[in-house]
Amino acid sequence: MSVQHTGVVIVGGGIVGASAALALRGLGHAVVLLERDLCGSRSSGVNYGGVRRQGRLPIQLPLAQRAHQIWAELPQRLGMDGEYRRSGHFKIARSAADMAQLVSYAELSRDFDLGLQLLSAAQVRARCSWLGGVAVGGSLCPEDGQANPRLVSPAFARAAARAGATVLEHHPVHEVQHDGQLFHVRAGQALQLRAPVLLNTAGAWAGALAAAFGEPVPMHSGHPAMAVSEPLPAFLPWSLGVEGGGIYCRQTPSGQVVMGGGQGLALDGQRTRVQAPTLTHLLQQAVALLPPLRHAQILRTWSGTEGYLPDRQPVLGPSSTTPGLFHGFGFAGAGFQIGPAAGEVLAELVHTGHSSTPIAPFSIQRFARDGAPPVSTP
């Protein structure tokens, strides 16, 4: 068996782990990233591709604001733009109560200067001829946007490799131990790594690694239901969400409309799919929301596996049991935008022991201290 020594071992090559690898290389650390499959092939690559700050609770907004700057620098950092566009994110209110929630959120997030614009029903009708008659108003965040997760997430891993990180795909981790000073990580039968620092960024599978170090978390898997249409003439300028949830849509530069809503089905531990009743309901909602979709063909549907925590907030920060262990997981449902900032935070913690971005609400100790925290709705 080959035994290698390095500075940091990262378990999981999603957008958080890969961006941490890139940031650590920028700080001069030796890094080995282990990915069971292909980097960005799990939740980081199957999500909707929304790059939004609107709708996040204030405790996430410092992280989202940091990520907002990173997204603006993708070409310099990754050598490609990942189809990232600050197209705007528009959240629709379908009732007076929904509109009151949007007004309340605009006030709640005022200190973060998101630039939210509240639109009346008349303003929505004037600006959104493509929208079905379901909106009584809405909230636009002009500098939020969208990107292609299938391009962006693996691009962070490739950029980390170009910067000098060792990125090993198809390397599942079979065993991790800590001897008080070093982590011993066995990947397959041929590779053992020894390092003083371990990052747990294994996505929906991160809970098992945390539990192995005495920090179990009540994480469960979810499976987003997604679909994409044939290319259509451009009509949808913004990424769309609906207050209260249910459906979200965006149109890509090629004209395809990506839409998501509801849950898919896990066939086993590795495979997922979208069932026909879920797809039917999603398309009915999509056509009601966006009449230009009425005669569009659906080219592809997909799902994936995401890891959710009961309060819908991530775990981000140091282990409470093991020196040198840092966690970054549980971002599902809203992790694509903040993932690059989470990776930078992990790199900061490794390098200095501190983060310049507030992360106290995301401590793994919240589960040990209080049991499962209450569910919150972003």
Side-chain angles (χ1 to χ4, degrees), residues 21-291:
L22 178 60
L24 283 164
R25 284 302 304 145
L27 295 170
H29 291 267
V31 179
V32 176
L33 187 155
L34 300 172
E35 166 55 41
R36 179 183 59 188
D37 301 304
L38 295 171
C39 289
S41 63
R42 295 293 176 165
S43 59
S44 294
V46 303
N47 65 77
Y48 164 68
V51 186
R52 64 165 179 84
R53 297 164 295 164
Q54 179 171 214
R56 295 181 186 276
L57 290 177
I59 59 173
Q60 274 199 15
L61 286 176
L63 201 59
Q65 293 290 64
R66 181 171 182 166
H68 190 60
Q69 298 304 315
I70 297 173
W71 281 98
E73 299 168 357
L74 281 194
Q76 295 82 5
R77 291 170 179 254
L78 306 185
M80 49 93 82
D81 65 9
E83 298 180 1
Y84 171 60
R85 295 182 294 145
R86 288 190 172 177
S87 58
H89 173 259
F90 185 55
K91 201 162 193 178
I92 299 165
R94 295 181 288 192
S95 68
D98 288 347
M99 193 64 207
Q101 288 293 323
L102 294 180
V103 172
S104 176
Y105 182 79
E107 181 62 31
L108 187 69
S109 62
R110 186 176 302 279
D111 289 345
F112 294 93
D113 194 24
L114 301 183
L116 297 181
Q117 300 174 9
L118 296 171
L119 304 185
S120 67
Q123 290 171 318
V124 171
R125 286 194 296 272
R127 297 183 63 174
C128 311
S129 59
W130 37 265
L131 191 63
V134 295
V136 302
S139 175
L140 174 65
C141 188
E143 290 200 352
D144 281 356
Q146 54 185 293
N148 187 335
R150 292 183 179 276
L151 297 177
V152 172
S153 298
F156 269 99
R158 290 196 295 270
R162 288 195 299 272
T166 299
V167 177
L168 300 175
E169 297 179 314
H170 301 297
H171 275 69
V173 171
H174 292 134
E175 185 177 10
V176 180
Q177 295 181 349
H178 189 246
D179 65 8
Q181 292 186 322
L182 296 176
F183 292 93
H184 300 247
V185 182
R186 182 169 66 84
Q189 299 301 318
L191 177 63
Q192 185 170 97
L193 298 168
R194 294 177 182 172
V197 175
L198 181 73
L199 302 189
N200 175 16
T201 59
W205 295 267
L209 186 53
F213 288 95
E215 297 177 296
V217 295
M219 192 159 69
H220 70 276
S221 295
H223 311 285
M226 306 296 303
V228 64
S229 78
E230 64 180 324
L232 301 172
F235 70 94
L236 180 57
W238 304 320
S239 176
L240 295 184
V242 175
E243 174 62 24
I247 185 172
Y248 34 92
C249 302
R250 65 183 180 90
Q251 190 169 27
T252 71
S254 67
Q256 294 177 310
V257 176
V258 179
M259 60 201 88
Q263 285 288 303
L265 173 71
L267 299 177
D268 53 36
Q270 306 299 321
R271 299 176 301 155
T272 60
R273 73 178 184 188
V274 178
Q275 293 181 296
T278 301
L279 180 61
T280 299
H281 183 58
L282 172 61
L283 297 182
Q284 288 172 339
Q285 290 187 89
V287 170
L289 187 68
L290 301 172

Side-chain angles (χ1 to χ4, degrees), residues 10-27:
I10 301 175
V11 180
I15 195 168
V16 177
S19 59
L22 178 60
L24 283 164
R25 284 302 304 145
L27 295 170

